Amino acid sequence: NAGVMQNPRHLVRRRGQEARLRCSPMKGHSHVYWYRQLPEEGLKFMVYLQKENIIDESGMPKERFSAEFPKEGPSILRIQQVVRGDSAAYFCASSLQQGASYEQYFGPGTRLTVT
Amino acid sequence: GENVEQHPSTLSVQEGDSAVIKCTYSDSASNYFPWYKQELGKGPQLIIDIRSNVGEKKDQRIAVTLNKTAKHFSLHITETQPEDSAVYFCAAGGGADGLTFGKGTHLIIQP
């Protein structure tokens, strides 16, 4: 039974390029969360999605960042025109039930480096 | 919004001794408190959690306590082993949005 899968594991982008991060939730899970982790910091919530719906994007920057979770396929976190400050580890988590009162299981993360 | 404070930032204990990590939260609406273990280069791993209708929960060498009145919760690891060395994060949740995490505790088990 596969856990949460993320790819790529490492991504290098030059300033101004686009970064696409993919997340496949655990089997049977339809709730996906994205978090960002800076070095020596805790994880910061970005966005919560269900299939075809964004439920809460209060933690996501208003510009350049977008997320989707289509009916078919993985959830995508997209960062346009990346800047050095976007360098971080991006984790997604999935849960079986709605809301932050239920267990969230994390993927291995995508480490984004902007040069 | 919710704010979670975690202490200490680094904890060094002798193998076999106990380790305690403490967290406080600010939002009385939070009702779910998980703990995660993160090893270098890996994603956070859920190790134990507690809900606000329970004061204590134990799983082998790991236990978590919750004091709702004081808004603090703690992780206790007994008989520590080298493989317990990692960064531990507490978190609080309860609404439709994501979890709010503490900044982490780097636990070092000295042989």
Side-chain angles (χ1 to χ4, degrees):
Chain A
N1 183 20
V4 178
M5 302 184 68
Q6 290 187 249
N7 66 81
R9 294 293 308 277
H10 300 273
L11 182 61
V12 180
R13 285 287 178 265
R14 294 185 178 182
R15 279 181 296 170
Q17 292 184 321
E18 178 179 287
R20 279 190 179 228
L21 288 62
R22 289 176 290 277
C23 169
S24 296
M26 286 180 71
K27 188 176 181 180
H29 288 193
S30 60
H31 305 270
V32 167
Y33 303 79
W34 285 93
Y35 293 83
R36 177 164 61 179
Q37 184 177 35
L38 295 171
E40 306 301 318
E41 293 277 329
L43 289 85
K44 301 288 187 191
F45 166 74
M46 298 180 75
V47 61
Y48 165 37
L49 310 105
Q50 293 179 25
K51 287 280 188 183
E52 301 184 279
N53 282 305
I54 296 175
I55 307 301
D56 183 350
E57 56 183 348
S58 59
M60 200 147 73
K62 294 286 185 282
E63 297 180 354
R64 303 187 298 108
F65 285 73
S66 63
E68 62 177 11
F69 189 15
K71 188 177 180 181
E72 300 291 337
S75 175
I76 306 283
L77 178 67
R78 185 165 75 159
I79 311 172
Q80 296 178 293
Q81 300 175 326
V82 295
V83 301
R84 289 231 172 94
D86 296 333
S87 295
Y90 292 83
F91 292 94
C92 82
S94 73
S95 68
L96 186 60
Q97 293 175 287
Q98 178 176 349
S101 299
Y102 298 96
E103 295 88 345
Q104 294 183 24
Y105 297 94
F106 282 80
T110 294
R111 279 145 187 87
L112 172 65
T113 301
V114 179
T115 61
Chain B
E2 175 65 276
N3 182 49
V4 176
E5 299 282 343
Q6 182 172 348
H7 299 281
S9 56
T10 303
L11 177 60
S12 181
V13 301
Q14 289 293 126
E15 182 179 349
D17 287 350
S18 296
V20 180
I21 302 170
K22 298 181 179 182
C23 289
T24 60
Y25 63 99
S26 61
D27 189 350
S28 55
S30 290
N31 58 10
Y32 176 61
F33 306 94
W35 286 87
Y36 288 85
K37 175 183 180 182
Q38 187 176 28
E39 295 173 319
L40 195 62
K42 297 185 178 180
Q45 176 192 2
L46 179 65
I47 57 172
I48 195 167
D49 57 13
I50 192 167
R51 299 185 191 285
S52 57
N53 58 347
V54 175
E56 183 174 359
K57 185 176 177 180
K58 192 172 182 181
D59 182 4
Q60 300 183 338
R61 295 187 297 109
I62 294 173
V64 58
T65 59
L66 171 66
N67 183 326
K68 277 191 66 180
T69 304
K71 295 198 189 74
H72 66 71
F73 56 114
S74 301
L75 177 71
H76 305 252
I77 305 174
T78 59
E79 301 172 12
T80 52
Q81 300 168 4
E83 54 264 38
D84 294 330
S85 293
V87 180
Y88 290 80
F89 291 97
C90 63
D97 55 7
L99 296 168
T100 302
F101 282 80
K103 291 198 172 184
T105 295
H106 188 189
L107 178 61
I108 302 165
I109 308 301
Q110 303 277 8

